[in-house]
mmCIF file of all heavy atoms in Angstrom:
data_model
loop_
_atom_site.group_PDB
_atom_site.id
_atom_site.type_symbol
_atom_site.label_atom_id
_atom_site.label_comp_id
_atom_site.label_asym_id
_atom_site.label_seq_id
_atom_site.Cartn_x
_atom_site.Cartn_y
_atom_site.Cartn_z
ATOM 1 N N LEU A 41 9.671 11.184 -12.187
ATOM 2 C CA LEU A 41 10.611 10.734 -11.145
ATOM 3 C C LEU A 41 12.035 10.736 -11.694
ATOM 4 O O LEU A 41 12.987 11.140 -11.017
ATOM 5 C CB LEU A 41 10.224 9.337 -10.641
ATOM 6 C CG LEU A 41 8.906 9.269 -9.857
ATOM 7 C CD1 LEU A 41 8.487 7.822 -9.617
ATOM 8 C CD2 LEU A 41 9.022 10.000 -8.519
ATOM 9 N N ALA A 44 13.363 14.226 -12.010
ATOM 10 C CA ALA A 44 13.762 14.742 -10.685
ATOM 11 C C ALA A 44 15.125 14.184 -10.287
ATOM 12 O O ALA A 44 15.968 14.913 -9.756
ATOM 13 C CB ALA A 44 12.703 14.371 -9.647
ATOM 14 N N GLY A 206 16.023 5.178 -0.743
ATOM 15 C CA GLY A 206 15.682 5.009 -2.162
ATOM 16 C C GLY A 206 14.259 5.473 -2.452
ATOM 17 O O GLY A 206 13.410 5.543 -1.554
ATOM 18 N N ILE A 207 14.016 5.773 -3.707
ATOM 19 C CA ILE A 207 12.647 6.075 -4.147
ATOM 20 C C ILE A 207 12.047 4.758 -4.656
ATOM 21 O O ILE A 207 12.671 4.067 -5.468
ATOM 22 C CB ILE A 207 12.638 7.120 -5.289
ATOM 23 C CG1 ILE A 207 13.337 8.407 -4.855
ATOM 24 C CG2 ILE A 207 11.222 7.403 -5.761
ATOM 25 C CD1 ILE A 207 13.595 9.378 -6.008
ATOM 26 N N PHE A 208 10.870 4.425 -4.162
ATOM 27 C CA PHE A 208 10.173 3.207 -4.616
ATOM 28 C C PHE A 208 8.835 3.633 -5.226
ATOM 29 O O PHE A 208 8.060 4.337 -4.570
ATOM 30 C CB PHE A 208 9.908 2.255 -3.446
ATOM 31 C CG PHE A 208 11.161 1.696 -2.830
ATOM 32 C CD1 PHE A 208 11.827 2.383 -1.823
ATOM 33 C CD2 PHE A 208 11.676 0.473 -3.255
ATOM 34 C CE1 PHE A 208 12.995 1.874 -1.256
ATOM 35 C CE2 PHE A 208 12.836 -0.042 -2.692
ATOM 36 C CZ PHE A 208 13.494 0.653 -1.694
ATOM 37 N N GLY A 233 7.660 5.559 6.334
ATOM 38 C CA GLY A 233 7.062 6.899 6.282
ATOM 39 C C GLY A 233 7.214 7.498 4.896
ATOM 40 O O GLY A 233 7.888 6.934 4.024
ATOM 41 N N ASN A 234 6.549 8.646 4.696
ATOM 42 C CA ASN A 234 6.792 9.420 3.474
ATOM 43 C C ASN A 234 6.309 8.675 2.218
ATOM 44 O O ASN A 234 7.089 8.420 1.301
ATOM 45 C CB ASN A 234 8.306 9.695 3.395
ATOM 46 C CG ASN A 234 8.632 10.912 2.569
ATOM 47 O OD1 ASN A 234 7.746 11.680 2.219
ATOM 48 N ND2 ASN A 234 9.893 11.080 2.253
ATOM 49 N N ILE A 235 5.025 8.320 2.216
ATOM 50 C CA ILE A 235 4.469 7.592 1.061
ATOM 51 C C ILE A 235 3.343 8.409 0.421
ATOM 52 O O ILE A 235 2.284 8.618 1.025
ATOM 53 C CB ILE A 235 3.911 6.207 1.455
ATOM 54 C CG1 ILE A 235 4.946 5.402 2.242
ATOM 55 C CG2 ILE A 235 3.456 5.448 0.214
ATOM 56 C CD1 ILE A 235 4.478 3.999 2.628
ATOM 57 N N LEU A 236 3.594 8.841 -0.790
ATOM 58 C CA LEU A 236 2.581 9.583 -1.548
ATOM 59 C C LEU A 236 1.750 8.576 -2.355
ATOM 60 O O LEU A 236 2.307 7.653 -2.956
ATOM 61 C CB LEU A 236 3.277 10.576 -2.489
ATOM 62 C CG LEU A 236 2.371 11.553 -3.234
ATOM 63 C CD1 LEU A 236 1.691 12.527 -2.266
ATOM 64 C CD2 LEU A 236 3.171 12.350 -4.273
ATOM 65 N N ARG A 237 0.414 8.798 -2.357
ATOM 66 C CA ARG A 237 -0.471 7.897 -3.121
ATOM 67 C C ARG A 237 -1.111 8.706 -4.253
ATOM 68 O O ARG A 237 -1.656 9.793 -4.024
ATOM 69 C CB ARG A 237 -1.552 7.355 -2.191
ATOM 70 C CG ARG A 237 -2.668 6.623 -2.908
ATOM 71 C CD ARG A 237 -3.576 5.889 -1.960
ATOM 72 N NE ARG A 237 -4.152 6.766 -0.939
ATOM 73 C CZ ARG A 237 -4.898 6.322 0.069
ATOM 74 N NH1 ARG A 237 -5.126 5.036 0.226
ATOM 75 N NH2 ARG A 237 -5.394 7.167 0.954
ATOM 76 N N LEU A 238 -1.016 8.151 -5.454
ATOM 77 C CA LEU A 238 -1.598 8.835 -6.621
ATOM 78 C C LEU A 238 -2.524 7.856 -7.322
ATOM 79 O O LEU A 238 -2.130 6.709 -7.570
ATOM 80 C CB LEU A 238 -0.488 9.269 -7.590
ATOM 81 C CG LEU A 238 0.661 10.052 -6.950
ATOM 82 C CD1 LEU A 238 1.918 9.199 -6.866
ATOM 83 C CD2 LEU A 238 0.951 11.345 -7.679
ATOM 84 N N VAL A 258 4.376 6.183 -4.057
ATOM 85 C CA VAL A 258 5.761 6.610 -4.225
ATOM 86 C C VAL A 258 6.340 6.857 -2.833
ATOM 87 O O VAL A 258 5.911 7.760 -2.114
ATOM 88 C CB VAL A 258 5.893 7.874 -5.099
ATOM 89 C CG1 VAL A 258 7.362 8.251 -5.261
ATOM 90 C CG2 VAL A 258 5.269 7.630 -6.473
ATOM 91 N N VAL A 259 7.304 6.003 -2.475
ATOM 92 C CA VAL A 259 8.007 6.160 -1.195
ATOM 93 C C VAL A 259 9.167 7.125 -1.426
ATOM 94 O O VAL A 259 9.888 7.006 -2.413
ATOM 95 C CB VAL A 259 8.558 4.795 -0.707
ATOM 96 C CG1 VAL A 259 9.318 4.964 0.598
ATOM 97 C CG2 VAL A 259 7.443 3.783 -0.563
ATOM 98 N N ASN A 260 9.331 8.078 -0.548
ATOM 99 C CA ASN A 260 10.382 9.106 -0.665
ATOM 100 C C ASN A 260 10.278 9.891 -1.971
ATOM 101 O O ASN A 260 11.252 9.990 -2.738
ATOM 102 C CB ASN A 260 11.790 8.482 -0.585
ATOM 103 C CG ASN A 260 12.043 7.817 0.747
ATOM 104 O OD1 ASN A 260 11.545 8.275 1.773
ATOM 105 N ND2 ASN A 260 12.817 6.735 0.742
ATOM 106 N N PRO A 261 9.114 10.435 -2.282
ATOM 107 C CA PRO A 261 8.997 11.179 -3.541
ATOM 108 C C PRO A 261 9.957 12.365 -3.556
ATOM 109 O O PRO A 261 10.170 12.995 -2.526
ATOM 110 C CB PRO A 261 7.544 11.667 -3.540
ATOM 111 C CG PRO A 261 7.119 11.626 -2.120
ATOM 112 C CD PRO A 261 7.878 10.509 -1.475
ATOM 113 N N PRO A 262 10.539 12.652 -4.724
ATOM 114 C CA PRO A 262 11.472 13.772 -4.782
ATOM 115 C C PRO A 262 10.767 15.116 -4.559
ATOM 116 O O PRO A 262 9.551 15.223 -4.719
ATOM 117 C CB PRO A 262 12.035 13.711 -6.202
ATOM 118 C CG PRO A 262 11.464 12.514 -6.847
ATOM 119 C CD PRO A 262 10.376 11.968 -5.997
ATOM 120 N N TRP A 263 11.570 16.080 -4.244
ATOM 121 C CA TRP A 263 11.108 17.447 -4.065
ATOM 122 C C TRP A 263 10.348 17.894 -5.314
ATOM 123 O O TRP A 263 10.785 17.610 -6.424
ATOM 124 C CB TRP A 263 12.363 18.322 -3.837
ATOM 125 C CG TRP A 263 12.078 19.731 -3.478
ATOM 126 C CD1 TRP A 263 11.338 20.196 -2.431
ATOM 127 C CD2 TRP A 263 12.558 20.888 -4.185
ATOM 128 N NE1 TRP A 263 11.328 21.559 -2.436
ATOM 129 C CE2 TRP A 263 12.067 22.011 -3.497
ATOM 130 C CE3 TRP A 263 13.367 21.083 -5.312
ATOM 131 C CZ2 TRP A 263 12.340 23.317 -3.893
ATOM 132 C CZ3 TRP A 263 13.643 22.374 -5.709
ATOM 133 C CH2 TRP A 263 13.139 23.469 -5.011
ATOM 134 N N LYS A 264 9.245 18.542 -5.150
ATOM 135 C CA LYS A 264 8.401 19.083 -6.236
ATOM 136 C C LYS A 264 7.555 18.021 -6.947
ATOM 137 O O LYS A 264 6.727 18.373 -7.786
ATOM 138 C CB LYS A 264 9.246 19.774 -7.318
ATOM 139 C CG LYS A 264 9.823 21.106 -6.934
ATOM 140 C CD LYS A 264 10.403 21.748 -8.201
ATOM 141 C CE LYS A 264 11.041 23.077 -7.898
ATOM 142 N NZ LYS A 264 11.794 23.586 -9.049
ATOM 143 N N PHE A 265 7.785 16.738 -6.671
ATOM 144 C CA PHE A 265 7.058 15.709 -7.429
ATOM 145 C C PHE A 265 5.542 15.820 -7.205
ATOM 146 O O PHE A 265 4.753 15.794 -8.148
ATOM 147 C CB PHE A 265 7.564 14.321 -7.040
ATOM 148 C CG PHE A 265 6.801 13.199 -7.691
ATOM 149 C CD1 PHE A 265 6.978 12.910 -9.032
ATOM 150 C CD2 PHE A 265 5.885 12.441 -6.968
ATOM 151 C CE1 PHE A 265 6.266 11.886 -9.643
ATOM 152 C CE2 PHE A 265 5.173 11.416 -7.564
ATOM 153 C CZ PHE A 265 5.372 11.140 -8.900
ATOM 154 N N GLU A 266 5.139 15.987 -5.950
ATOM 155 C CA GLU A 266 3.708 16.057 -5.650
ATOM 156 C C GLU A 266 3.064 17.254 -6.363
ATOM 157 O O GLU A 266 2.002 17.137 -6.975
ATOM 158 C CB GLU A 266 3.496 16.178 -4.135
ATOM 159 C CG GLU A 266 2.028 16.278 -3.762
ATOM 160 C CD GLU A 266 1.804 16.642 -2.297
ATOM 161 O OE1 GLU A 266 2.789 16.893 -1.582
ATOM 162 O OE2 GLU A 266 0.629 16.687 -1.890
ATOM 163 N N TRP A 292 -1.363 11.738 0.949
ATOM 164 C CA TRP A 292 -0.268 11.054 1.645
ATOM 165 C C TRP A 292 -0.843 9.842 2.369
ATOM 166 O O TRP A 292 -1.605 9.999 3.312
ATOM 167 C CB TRP A 292 0.428 12.006 2.628
ATOM 168 C CG TRP A 292 1.227 13.032 1.884
ATOM 169 C CD1 TRP A 292 0.782 14.242 1.439
ATOM 170 C CD2 TRP A 292 2.584 12.894 1.443
ATOM 171 N NE1 TRP A 292 1.790 14.870 0.744
ATOM 172 C CE2 TRP A 292 2.903 14.077 0.735
ATOM 173 C CE3 TRP A 292 3.558 11.911 1.566
ATOM 174 C CZ2 TRP A 292 4.160 14.281 0.157
ATOM 175 C CZ3 TRP A 292 4.808 12.122 0.991
ATOM 176 C CH2 TRP A 292 5.094 13.291 0.300
ATOM 177 N N VAL A 294 1.072 7.785 4.011
ATOM 178 C CA VAL A 294 1.801 7.942 5.276
ATOM 179 C C VAL A 294 2.627 9.219 5.156
ATOM 180 O O VAL A 294 3.443 9.340 4.236
ATOM 181 C CB VAL A 294 2.770 6.764 5.540
ATOM 182 C CG1 VAL A 294 3.364 6.886 6.936
ATOM 183 C CG2 VAL A 294 2.102 5.426 5.348
ATOM 184 N N ARG A 304 11.032 20.098 8.355
ATOM 185 C CA ARG A 304 11.298 20.472 6.975
ATOM 186 C C ARG A 304 11.560 21.974 6.931
ATOM 187 O O ARG A 304 10.826 22.733 7.563
ATOM 188 C CB ARG A 304 10.040 20.151 6.167
ATOM 189 C CG ARG A 304 10.221 20.135 4.695
ATOM 190 C CD ARG A 304 8.852 19.959 4.067
ATOM 191 N NE ARG A 304 8.493 18.575 3.832
ATOM 192 C CZ ARG A 304 8.938 17.844 2.798
ATOM 193 N NH1 ARG A 304 9.747 18.371 1.920
ATOM 194 N NH2 ARG A 304 8.560 16.602 2.656
#
Side-chain angles (χ1 to χ4, degrees):
L41 292 170
I207 303 169
F208 295 87
N234 204 11
I235 308 182
L236 187 66
R237 169 169 56 186
L238 309 107
V258 181
V259 178
N260 297 327
W263 187 57
K264 287 190 182 170
F265 176 74
E266 179 190 4
W292 289 89
V294 187
R304 195 186 269 281

